[in-house]
Amino acid sequence: MRIIGRVLLGVFLLALLLGAVALWYVAHPNVPEYTPPQTLTLLPQWDQQARERYYYTPQGTQVKGLHYDWFTALRQPFSDERFAAPANLARYGFLIDPEQLKPQQPGAIDPNNPGNLPVGFSRHQDSANGPWYLDITCSACHTGELRYNGHAVRIDGGAAMHSIASTVPTLRGGAFGQAMGMSLLFTYALPWKFDAFAQDVLKTEHPSAADKQALRDGLKPVLKQVFGTAWNDWHRGLYPTEEGPGRADAFGRIANGVFGDHISADNYRVANAPVNYPQLWDIWKFDWVQWNGSAMQPMARNIGEALGVGATLGLLDSDGQPLLGDARYPASVRIDDLFRLEEDLHQLKPPTWPAELFGEIDLKRASQGRALFRENCQRCHGPHVKQPGDPDYLAPARVPEWRMSMIPTTVIGTDPTTADNIASHSYDLRPLKWQLDELQHMDVALYPEPKQALDLSKLSAAKGLAYITAFVEQRAYRDAGISPEQQQRMNGYGLKIGVRELAAYKARPLDGIWATPPFLHNGSVPNLFELLSPVDERESQFYVGSFDYDPTFAGYRTGKFPGGFLYRTSVTGNSNRGHEFRDGCRRDGVIGRALSPEERWALVEYLKVLGNPAYESRLSDVPTPPWTPGPTCG
């Protein structure tokens, strides 16, 4: 018996040691140290007022019910430093101004950003006297930054380089949600941390026991939600492909959140197709948006984005029964703010090459590149401007309207997982008690119009989210007293909530593309030069998470660095194949002839100034060879 006891004690101590090691790694994330740039340049993409609104206008999201002042008062797990300190959040890839590192003076606190938080962190109240909730705005994921020789260039509307979405704990660490959860746990569990937290939140050095208990009671459900989500996502294996910095499986996550969390656990689906955060300039002109061209109404797109980031949504009542009639579906989305943000995006211009920081453009090489672009790229990337009277002109009031070229995955050859998941995953929405005849009167247009009645037992994600969004939109407008005429304007040109499910990806116009690495929808190609190269000349694995920019190759530097995330193109959803220029048969992702290294350099040089009149007017005319389709080889 004594031997058995010693063995059990040894097993217990070993388990305790392993648990302590795991806790250390989970709570001590492997993320880069933040080194502030010497200068921060804001490009003339729009005026400062629009920029401020974009950064800090709330959209109605909640981070698991976390209050704004709770977030700003959290302590880091292994220090007394605040988790929300600008330098700490910058380690996770969130963007700050170096000026934010200086101590805040009481009279200099920004009312739009009282917590001195990074771009995209805001707050809102759901009622006049309710708490202020932490709100993550669209700018958190759609603002980029490039750094070179100690200087930084902000890219408004560009691609973020953080890992805000990831919820699954890993020993490597590095995800914002994982780190925040550990800060919540340590703050809640350790008396000295909770005392400091309570003093900050309650704004007194000696809070009463009753006030501290009420605060603890309020924090408990937030902690339960954070760790409940992490457990659910981990033990179900929902996100096997690590997203890493700059990516999220946005469509898969919102589908799991809406159909799995709210309706039935049977609706959870594996989401293994992370995508880059796409750039936002010019999107108001696009006839169809999203990587797979699946949506068209601006308001519905923005409501869906807000739901995906954490806006509350009620599908069932407190007894678990479906909400019916006018009771459907209350949500915390702020439609007035979403409309204001969408209107501001009409002002957003593509970024212009900052020659004073990145070096001057080689005009001779760029001129050659323009001719090569017209020969090899313009056929897909346009822009293809519709003409009034065109049969597919979706919104006559929108001028201009650009037709997006949708390239089948079998042609473009890039990783099909994203498009396949959206097109093939289906969900059982019968518990919501929808009636088919009422769906026919919703503000939803399915392309193509289905020939058979919808089967609510296996409805696609795109269709299901479209109808839920329509109900949310309808309820929000009604609650706000918005007239039908104003609703049409706020929706965006009177457009319906359009739905398409194509096994294809959008070839968007390329103004400002130089500022949006890494490339392809899944971020599998680190720079423009490699994107124009054969697949066997592309890196099969590289590090991401650094903001260091290489102006020659037009992409992030990819060498190993402390805290970097290793991107492996062999992982499901991460393939770097396709969009290939190579001699031979035009199939399996080969879309054009081989480009010599000099031709690739010329194209890269032109892509740095595409759409920039100040440079385009200085380029010389070079004859453009005709585009040739090349052999298909059966």
Side-chain angles (χ1 to χ4, degrees):
M1 294 296 294
R2 186 175 297 177
I3 293 175
I4 294 175
R6 288 177 178 175
V7 170
L8 291 175
L9 178 61
V11 170
F12 172 76
L13 292 176
L14 179 61
L16 192 65
L17 177 62
L18 292 175
V21 171
L23 185 65
W24 166 261
Y25 279 105
V26 171
H28 194 269
N30 179 37
V31 291
E33 291 300 323
Y34 173 67
T35 301
Q38 301 171 36
T39 61
L40 173 63
T41 297
L42 302 176
L43 298 177
Q45 295 179 258
W46 48 9
D47 62 44
Q48 184 61 25
Q49 189 176 29
R51 177 179 287 116
E52 288 288 323
R53 283 197 300 268
Y54 176 64
Y55 286 175
Y56 301 118
T57 296
Q59 56 182 358
T61 65
Q62 294 183 18
V63 182
K64 309 301 182 186
L66 189 62
H67 293 193
Y68 187 85
D69 57 347
W70 295 355
F71 179 69
T72 59
L74 283 178
R75 265 40 184 196
Q76 296 179 38
F78 293 107
S79 83
D80 195 44
E81 295 296 317
R82 294 174 189 262
F83 177 73
N88 186 55
L89 292 184
R91 296 178 65 210
Y92 297 96
F94 298 106
L95 302 179
I96 65 171
D97 187 318
E99 292 294 314
Q100 290 180 250
L101 299 174
K102 298 177 181 178
Q104 277 191 300
Q105 301 302 317
I109 294 176
D110 183 351
N112 293 319
N113 186 21
N116 197 31
L117 300 180
V119 169
F121 286 75
S122 186
R123 61 177 185 162
H124 79 269
Q125 289 178 296
D126 285 338
S127 60
N129 298 313
W132 289 93
Y133 289 104
L134 179 66
D135 195 310
I136 304 297
T137 82
C138 58
S139 62
C141 296
H142 298 283
T143 308
E145 194 165 288
L146 309 174
R147 298 172 191 161
Y148 180 64
N149 287 342
H151 300 274
V153 177
R154 181 70 52 82
I155 309 296
D156 289 333
M161 188 51 70
H162 55 58
S163 54
I164 191 173
S166 181
T167 48
V168 179
T170 65
L171 291 184
R172 179 198 172 277
F176 165 76
Q178 173 180 317
M180 186 188 73
M182 296 308 296
S183 289
L184 275 165
L185 177 63
F186 277 65
T187 297
Y188 182 85
L190 301 179
W192 62 92
K193 284 187 178 292
F194 187 80
D195 285 346
F197 171 79
Q199 290 172 4
D200 288 343
V201 171
L202 300 172
K203 295 180 172 55
T204 175
E205 291 187 15
H206 304 288
S208 69
D211 286 343
K212 288 172 63 176
Q213 187 59 48
L215 180 59
R216 186 179 290 277
D217 291 344
L219 202 61
K220 186 175 181 179
V222 176
L223 195 65
K224 184 178 179 180
Q225 277 199 63
V226 169
F227 281 89
T229 299
W231 166 252
N232 180 73
D233 295 351
W234 176 74
H235 92 276
R236 295 182 187 278
L238 296 181
Y239 306 102
T241 300
E242 282 192 75
E243 289 149 316
R247 299 195 310 163
D249 191 331
F251 214 93
R253 284 186 174 277
I254 187 174
N256 280 333
V258 173
F259 305 135
D261 293 350
H262 287 84
I263 300 175
S264 169
D266 292 336
N267 279 330
Y268 286 119
R269 300 288 181 269
V270 170
N272 55 358
V275 297
N276 278 357
Y277 304 114
Q279 60 267 36
L280 299 186
W281 49 84
D282 292 331
I283 63 168
W284 67 272
K285 305 172 187 175
F286 296 1
D287 55 0
W288 291 88
V289 296
Q290 308 294 19
W291 285 111
N292 68 330
S294 59
M296 69 179 185
Q297 189 198 87
M299 180 58 79
R301 179 192 74 226
N302 293 331
I303 288 176
E305 183 267 334
L307 292 174
V309 181
T312 60
L313 172 65
L315 298 180
L316 309 176
D317 64 19
S318 58
D319 296 322
Q321 297 302 307
L323 296 173
L324 301 173
D326 288 345
R328 297 177 299 201
Y329 288 124
S332 60
V333 294
R334 301 166 65 90
I335 52 173
D336 286 326
D337 287 328
L338 291 177
F339 174 64
R340 186 176 300 112
L341 287 166
E342 182 68 27
E343 289 291 285
D344 278 341
L345 286 180
H346 291 204
Q347 302 179 37
L348 181 65
K349 300 180 180 65
T352 51
W353 182 261
E356 66 281 4
L357 294 178
F358 292 167
E360 262 297 348
I361 296 296
D362 183 328
L363 296 179
K364 181 179 179 181
R365 178 176 276 178
S367 299
Q368 181 192 6
R370 182 167 64 178
L372 289 164
F373 180 88
R374 291 169 176 169
E375 174 196 356
N376 298 281
C377 312
Q378 190 164 293
R379 179 171 173 269
C380 290
H381 289 284
H384 308 296
V385 182
K386 296 182 181 181
Q387 301 302 318
D390 284 354
D392 65 341
Y393 209 121
L394 297 178
R398 173 169 51 195
V399 180
E401 181 171 281
W402 290 354
R403 181 184 297 108
M404 294 296 104
S405 297
M406 298 303 304
I407 315 299
T409 55
T410 53
V411 174
I412 195 64
T414 52
D415 193 300
T417 315
T418 297
D420 289 350
N421 286 357
I422 294 173
S424 64
H425 284 179
S426 62
Y427 304 83
D428 185 357
L429 302 191
R430 289 174 297 178
L432 296 180
K433 304 296 184 184
W434 288 349
Q435 300 300 315
L436 293 181
D437 58 343
E438 69 177 339
L439 296 185
Q440 292 176 357
H441 295 92
M442 299 297 292
D443 195 28
V444 175
L446 306 181
Y447 292 80
E449 186 175 342
K451 297 180 180 179
Q452 297 179 333
L454 296 176
D455 184 350
L456 298 182
S457 70
K458 49 181 181 181
L459 200 62
S460 69
K463 291 186 180 73
L465 291 173
Y467 285 114
I468 284 178
T469 301
F471 280 119
V472 169
E473 189 176 274
Q474 187 180 73
R475 170 71 181 266
Y477 283 144
R478 185 174 67 248
D479 289 349
I482 305 295
S483 69
E485 294 76 19
Q486 180 67 355
Q487 290 178 31
Q488 292 292 299
R489 179 167 175 260
M490 293 176 71
N491 284 343
Y493 311 104
L495 288 167
K496 289 181 174 291
I497 300 173
V499 179
R500 288 194 311 191
E501 296 158 306
L502 304 177
Y505 294 122
K506 177 175 85 260
R508 66 172 293 151
L510 299 181
D511 294 9
I513 191 68
W514 61 270
T516 64
F519 300 101
L520 295 184
H521 70 280
N522 60 357
S524 59
V525 180
N527 58 63
L528 287 178
F529 186 83
E530 286 194 26
L531 188 61
L532 299 168
S533 301
V535 168
D536 60 10
E537 294 182 29
R538 298 174 184 172
E539 296 178 78
S540 62
Q541 60 181 36
F542 52 92
Y543 284 87
V544 294
S546 166
F547 289 88
D548 288 340
Y549 187 69
D550 186 329
T552 302
F553 286 85
Y556 287 121
R557 299 188 186 279
T558 58
K560 186 176 182 179
F561 62 96
F565 178 88
L566 183 60
Y567 186 111
R568 296 181 175 91
T569 62
S570 59
V571 174
T572 300
N574 286 2
S575 173
N576 66 347
R577 299 189 64 81
H579 196 278
E580 188 176 9
F581 292 90
R582 176 164 54 82
D583 286 336
C585 303
R586 302 287 175 90
R587 66 185 184 190
D588 299 327
V590 178
I591 59 171
R593 66 172 179 83
L595 301 168
S596 70
E598 180 53 40
E599 287 179 315
R600 289 177 239 165
W601 288 123
L603 266 168
V604 169
E605 200 72 1
Y606 176 61
L607 290 173
K608 296 174 185 177
V609 300
L610 172 62
N612 181 348
Y615 274 106
E616 291 253 22
S617 62
R618 297 166 58 193
L619 301 183
S620 56
D621 286 329
V622 175
T624 301
W627 178 80
T628 55
T632 59
C633 305

